[in-house]
């Protein structure tokens, strides 16, 4: 198996995690989401990087996630693990005190599943348009009313990082984050949405009907929601697409094997210059994606703050998602009709790579932010 763009220690870390996960594939095959989640947590794969002993915790976590995918774990599960670690656990680790963080201990052991409840039916890229409200009572507790939609893991999660409006208007201090127990009275969750990309991780909606939320479940100060949201999105844009590296490597390996063994017009399919060029372009996309993602992880390990990396993180996310889609298009072309027939072993998932352009903010909106950072007077 090739290790394009990986140095020796990182390549060995990926292979070591792959071997560990391959040892539990029987427990994962056919299991429901919670069972798979707990099984992976028992291997330590849900530990927050800063709570590990690794000297390069971010790089090591990206390598573990790649190993997870290389072992054949479904991309949806890889995505869910990556999203929880980088999109929820790490941002919270930086702002919660020790007491509040210990309450989330079950997240690291797989006993508690978290979800990020930002998006509403009206959208998520414009957070200041949200309608979910949190009203503070005289006793310091809050009542939350509203609906969050298109939330990854919502049907099975135990706690949610919920963003709600605590003030009127479109100003930076209108939103406040809360860690809400999803088993509380007044909460209703939808059944899992039927979706085409990443079907192995459930997605759904959460309705809050005057839900009592104790004041100590507020994250930070009232009005700190937009600041925390900026941090969570910076983490996600920097490293969320790490979930795609393992699946990309598996597709590249099987495509090379197919092209070497398939006889076409009296010669190996891989002897064709067009086939060779497509496979080289697939390798380039994987190489470039690895360089960007591991590069961002190294910068974070070096102490750079996620919010100061916001533009580079956005460019990383745009680039990797585009490469992932183009990579899969090449694989589909080379597999032909076999790319759409399950038992061929060459099935290509087009929906997952295409959907990656929408995670952590649609790419087109990220481009606007990049252009604005470059000095253009562009509006949303």
């Amino acid at each position: 198996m090739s290790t394009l763009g990986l140095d020796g220690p990182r390549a060995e870390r990926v292979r070591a995690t792959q071997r560990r996960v391959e040892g539990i594939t029987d427990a994962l095959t056919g299991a429901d989401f919670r069972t798979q989640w707990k099984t992976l947590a028992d291997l330590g794969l849900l530990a927050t990087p800063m709570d590990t002993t690794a000297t390069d915790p971010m790089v090591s976590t990206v390598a573990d996630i790649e190993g997870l995918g290389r072992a054949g774990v479904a991309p949806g599960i890889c995505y869910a693990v990556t999203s929880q670690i980088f999109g929820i656990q790490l941002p919270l680790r930086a702002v919660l005190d020790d007491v509040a963080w210990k309450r989330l201990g079950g997240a690291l052991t797989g006993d508690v599943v978290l979800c990020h409840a930002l998006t509403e039916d009206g959208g998520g890229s414009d957070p200041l348009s949200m309608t979910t409200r949190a009203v503070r009572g005289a006793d310091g507790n809050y009542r939350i009313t509203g609906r969050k939609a298109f939330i990854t893991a919502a049907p099975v999660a135990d706690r949610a990082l919920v963003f709600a409006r605590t003030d009127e208007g479109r100003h930076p201090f209108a939103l406040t984050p809360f860690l809400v127990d999803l088993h509380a009275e007044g909460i209703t969750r939808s059944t899992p949405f039927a979706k085409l990309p990443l079907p192995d991780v459930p997605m759904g909606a959460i309705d809050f009907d005057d839900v009592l939320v104790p004041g100590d479940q507020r994250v930070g100060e009232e009005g700190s929601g937009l600041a925390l949201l900026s941090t969570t999105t910076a983490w996600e844009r920097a490293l969320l697409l790490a979930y795609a590296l393992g699946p990309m490597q598996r597709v590249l390996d099987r495509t090379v094997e197919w092209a070497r063994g398939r006889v076409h017009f009296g010669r190996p399919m891989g002897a064709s210059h067009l086939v060779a060029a497509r496979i080289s372009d697939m390798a380039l996309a994987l190489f470039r994606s690895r360089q960007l993602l591991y590069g961002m992880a190294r910068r974070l390990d070096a102490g750079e703050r996620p919010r100061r990396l916001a533009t580079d993180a956005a460019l990383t996310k745009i680039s990797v998602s585009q490469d992932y889609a183009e990579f899969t298009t090449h694989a589909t072309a080379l597999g032909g009709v076999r790319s759409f027939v399950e038992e061929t072993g060459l099935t290509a998932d087009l929906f997952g790579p295409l959907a990656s352009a929408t995670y952590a903010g649609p790419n087109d909106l990220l481009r606007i932010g990049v252009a604005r950072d470059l000095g253009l007077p562009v509006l949303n």
Side-chain angles (χ1 to χ4, degrees):
M1 181 176 286
S2 66
T3 54
L4 298 167
L6 285 178
D7 60 24
R10 299 294 79 72
E12 180 50 40
R13 176 95 185 200
V14 170
R15 285 191 288 263
T17 301
Q18 178 183 352
R19 290 191 293 269
R20 284 197 299 147
V21 176
E22 287 175 341
I24 59 165
T25 51
D26 288 345
L28 297 175
T29 303
D32 61 21
F33 178 84
R34 290 296 297 241
T35 300
Q36 294 186 65
W37 195 255
K38 178 60 177 171
T39 302
L40 293 174
D42 288 343
L43 290 182
L45 293 175
L46 290 176
T48 301
M50 299 314 295
D51 293 315
T52 68
T53 58
T55 57
D56 53 355
M58 305 306 163
V59 169
S60 295
T61 300
V62 171
D64 286 340
I65 290 166
E66 179 169 353
L68 188 65
R70 283 210 202 183
V73 174
I77 303 297
C78 297
Y79 170 88
V81 170
T82 313
S83 178
Q84 173 154 303
I85 292 174
F86 293 121
I88 307 177
Q89 289 178 193
L90 273 167
L92 289 177
R93 187 71 177 89
V95 298
L96 294 179
D97 60 30
D98 289 341
V99 174
W101 178 248
K102 286 179 181 178
R103 292 182 192 148
L104 287 180
L108 279 61
T109 63
D111 297 305
V112 172
V113 176
L114 305 176
C115 69
H116 191 290
L118 167 69
T119 304
E120 300 186 354
D121 287 317
S125 297
D126 178 14
L128 291 176
S129 69
M130 75 171 55
T131 59
T132 298
R133 298 180 181 279
V135 178
R136 185 176 184 177
D139 57 1
N141 297 325
Y142 291 81
R143 294 278 180 175
I144 295 182
T145 300
R147 177 180 173 85
K148 299 295 183 178
F150 309 111
I151 307 301
T152 296
V156 296
D158 300 290
R159 302 192 75 182
L161 177 59
V162 179
F163 292 84
R165 178 174 292 282
T166 48
D167 197 7
E168 299 299 326
R170 297 180 59 85
H171 62 82
F173 307 105
L175 309 179
T176 301
F178 300 87
L179 270 171
V180 180
D181 180 356
L182 292 180
H183 303 290
E185 184 177 353
I187 292 177
T188 305
R189 290 185 272 183
S190 72
T191 56
F193 294 167
K195 59 187 175 76
L196 296 173
L198 307 180
D200 299 279
V201 55
M203 171 187 282
I206 310 172
D207 287 286
F208 300 86
D209 183 10
D210 198 34
V211 176
L212 175 63
V213 178
D216 62 2
Q217 290 184 12
R218 187 185 69 206
V219 179
E221 298 298 320
E222 189 168 297
S224 65
L226 204 58
L228 180 59
L229 182 58
S230 297
T231 300
T232 62
T233 54
W235 275 109
E236 286 188 317
R237 291 166 186 172
L239 295 174
L240 179 61
L241 268 291
Y243 87 89
L245 295 176
M248 289 172 78
Q249 183 68 65
R250 286 176 62 85
V251 170
L252 178 61
D253 290 341
R254 79 184 187 195
T255 303
V256 169
E257 183 180 2
W258 160 250
R260 291 177 62 187
R262 163 77 163 163
V263 176
H264 205 50
F265 298 109
R267 64 179 183 178
M269 182 176 164
S272 163
H273 286 192
L274 178 58
V275 170
R278 280 192 182 273
I279 290 178
S280 294
D281 282 344
M282 292 172 67
L284 175 61
L286 176 55
F287 175 84
R288 186 162 47 212
S289 296
R290 277 203 183 111
Q291 293 297 299
L292 286 170
L293 290 163
Y294 281 97
M296 291 299 294
R298 282 191 291 271
R299 292 174 68 178
L300 290 161
D301 276 331
E304 293 193 54
R305 296 173 64 84
R307 289 179 65 183
R308 292 193 175 274
L309 293 174
T311 297
D312 289 0
L315 289 168
T316 296
K317 189 262 178 175
I318 293 169
S319 180
V320 177
S321 62
Q322 289 183 168
D323 272 340
Y324 192 17
E326 182 179 358
F327 173 99
T328 309
T329 301
H330 285 310
T332 303
L334 292 170
V337 68
R338 292 168 181 79
S339 299
F340 306 98
V341 179
E342 287 288 348
E343 60 265 25
T344 65
L346 291 172
T347 308
D349 170 25
L350 288 169
F351 294 111
L354 288 173
S356 70
T358 69
Y359 305 147
N363 282 358
D364 283 349
L365 282 180
L366 268 61
R367 287 184 173 90
I368 291 173
V370 170
R372 188 180 293 122
D373 192 55
L374 291 172
L376 296 179
V378 62
L379 302 177
N380 284 336

